[in-house]
């Protein structure tokens, strides 16, 4: 091992040590800033305000179910958009605009139904 390689490794280690020495104390002292302590944990949107652990877990589970429903709605929007673009491309090539129109109408209806169902499900939970 040459002297230059050894010097380069030492320089990197010193740089890492200095970076750690400047960053780590800031994170350790973050709770003392202004004397307010750590922030409070946000309660779930769907219940969980009773203070019991089981109620809080139930609220977080309900929030997770609503989030999964929203992700399914987003995926439905993506699928409808992809199908509409494919149908538009086929309509331009084969001059079948009725198929494109039907795909668009059914896709918009599907998206409206999914939004309505996700809204009803979030109210039920």
């Amino acid at each position: 091992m040459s002297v230059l390689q050894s010097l380069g490794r030492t320089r990197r280690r010193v740089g890492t040590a200095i970076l750690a020495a400047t960053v780590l104390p800031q994170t350790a002292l973050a709770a003392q800033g202004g004397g307010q302590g750590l922030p409070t944990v946000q309660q779930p949107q769907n219940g969980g305000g009773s203070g019991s652990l089981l109620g809080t877990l139930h609220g977080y589970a309900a929030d997770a179910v609503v989030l999964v429903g929203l992700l399914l709605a987003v995926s439905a929007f993506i699928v409808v958009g992809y199908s509409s673009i494919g149908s538009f491309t086929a309509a331009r090539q084969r001059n079948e605009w009725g198929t494109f129109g039907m795909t668009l109408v059914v896709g918009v209806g599907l998206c409206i139904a999914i939004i309505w169902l996700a809204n009803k499900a979030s109210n039920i939970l």
Side-chain angles (χ1 to χ4, degrees):
M1 181 184 316
S2 73
V3 175
L4 292 177
Q5 288 176 340
S6 176
L7 184 61
R9 284 186 184 171
T10 305
R11 188 178 300 166
R12 275 180 279 181
R13 288 181 183 162
V14 169
T16 304
I18 290 173
L19 180 67
T22 58
V23 172
L24 291 178
Q26 296 297 324
T27 58
L29 298 175
Q32 296 178 0
Q36 297 174 1
L38 294 174
T40 59
V41 177
Q42 183 178 359
Q43 292 296 319
Q45 297 293 324
N46 296 325
S50 65
S52 69
L53 179 63
L54 191 57
T56 303
L57 290 176
H58 182 268
Y60 283 131
D63 284 349
V65 169
V66 170
L67 181 64
V68 168
L70 290 174
L71 291 175
L72 287 174
V74 167
S75 66
F77 274 100
I78 291 171
V79 168
V80 166
Y82 183 74
S83 298
S84 298
I85 290 171
S87 179
F88 178 75
T89 304
R92 286 183 64 196
Q93 292 174 352
R94 299 186 203 132
N95 208 10
E96 298 174 354
W97 292 101
T99 305
F100 170 66
M102 186 58 70
T103 302
L104 206 59
V105 167
V106 170
V108 168
L110 180 67
C111 287
I112 290 172
I114 287 173
I115 290 170
W116 181 75
L117 287 172
N119 190 20
K120 287 294 182 185
S122 69
N123 290 337
I124 291 171
L125 288 175

